[in-house]
Amino acid sequence: MKHIFLFIIIFALSCILPVKAEELPDIQLDMRLYDGVEVPAGVVISAINMQEISTETCPEGFKVKLLASNDLFIEETKVIPESTAFYGYIEKINEPIVGTNASMKVKITKMVYSDGFEIPIVGYIYTSNSNLIGGELTQPSEWVKKPHYQDKFQKTAWNYRGPTLQIRPGGKRSMGRHIRVPAGDRVLIILTAPLTVTHIVSE
């Protein structure tokens, strides 16, 4: 009984007494004080498309993969190294119609570093038409001749020969075509929401 009581007292004292710093095991991790770097919305990233994307052969939801073709720096920090992978899907497809080519929007949802670390992002393959790939007007399907009347000065000139005929596009346009982004094409990814990068790939 005395031995048990003595053991309890020794254990209690060992918990209360301070331990010297040099007696502690070395549990310090090799970490930097790194709070992350914010990449603002609107930043454009150059990338390479890894497989053909087509409105004719790909359905909505079709998964896409792109690779960054250049390093992206924010100040002096490389936040997106070259060959970082970007993943997304076809968000919307508009079929071709008379007068307008097919179109699609490709949404980018995450990027994956070479060491496998993933960061969710919100972005699109960029175009100047609200990130809509395709959707251009088609060529006219008919051309009409219309008289072009000369100005008042020419009418009074001695060599006036009357109105001239000009060929202009009519009101009808041809059927739209499907569009595609071939594998290996360079595209631009635009961030539509800020991105906080909290991971740096060690080189």
Side-chain angles (χ1 to χ4, degrees):
M1 186 69 181
K2 291 181 180 179
H3 294 292
I4 297 176
F5 182 75
L6 182 61
F7 176 78
I8 294 173
I9 293 175
I10 293 172
F11 179 77
L13 289 174
S14 66
C15 294
I16 297 172
L17 292 175
V19 181
K20 294 182 180 179
E22 54 268 22
E23 296 176 358
L24 290 173
D26 185 13
I27 59 171
Q28 297 297 320
L29 300 178
D30 183 17
M31 297 179 64
R32 293 176 295 174
L33 294 176
Y34 182 62
D35 296 328
V37 177
E38 182 170 298
V39 184
V43 166
V44 175
I45 304 161
S46 178
I48 297 174
N49 181 37
M50 298 306 294
Q51 76 281 328
E52 180 174 280
I53 310 170
S54 170
T55 57
E56 185 175 17
T57 59
C58 300
E60 290 183 356
F62 181 82
K63 295 180 180 180
V64 302
K65 178 183 179 182
L66 307 101
L67 293 180
S69 57
N70 297 312
D71 296 329
L72 177 67
F73 287 84
I74 298 295
E75 295 181 354
E76 296 181 356
T77 304
K78 185 193 295 185
V79 293
I80 301 178
E82 183 180 353
S83 296
T84 298
F86 293 87
Y87 294 89
Y89 63 94
I90 299 177
E91 183 181 58
K92 177 67 175 176
I93 290 179
N94 298 312
E95 294 292 331
I97 58 174
V98 173
T100 307
N101 288 329
S103 62
M104 60 182 170
K105 272 193 172 185
V106 179
K107 187 174 185 178
I108 308 300
T109 57
K110 72 176 179 178
M111 67 179 185
V112 181
Y113 289 109
S114 58
D115 62 1
F117 189 86
E118 298 183 8
I119 298 180
I121 68 173
V122 182
Y124 286 88
I125 290 182
Y126 171 78
T127 73
S128 58
N129 185 24
S130 299
N131 304 325
L132 190 68
I133 304 170
E136 305 89 356
L137 291 177
T138 60
Q139 294 295 322
S141 61
E142 65 176 7
W143 298 82
V144 295
K145 295 180 179 180
K146 291 187 176 181
H148 173 69
Y149 295 94
Q150 298 172 351
D151 58 30
K152 184 177 180 180
F153 173 78
Q154 289 177 318
K155 286 183 179 180
T156 58
W158 64 272
N159 61 347
Y160 174 68
R161 297 181 180 179
T164 57
L165 291 178
Q166 290 185 342
I167 299 178
R168 297 182 180 181
K172 296 181 180 180
R173 290 189 173 268
S174 56
M175 181 65 187
R177 297 181 178 181
H178 284 282
I179 54 100
R180 66 188 187 97
V181 181
D185 263 21
R186 289 183 178 270
V187 298
L188 297 175
I189 299 171
I190 185 168
L191 297 180
T192 55
L195 165 66
T196 301
V197 175
T198 57
H199 178 78
I200 297 297
V201 177
S202 58
E203 299 185 9

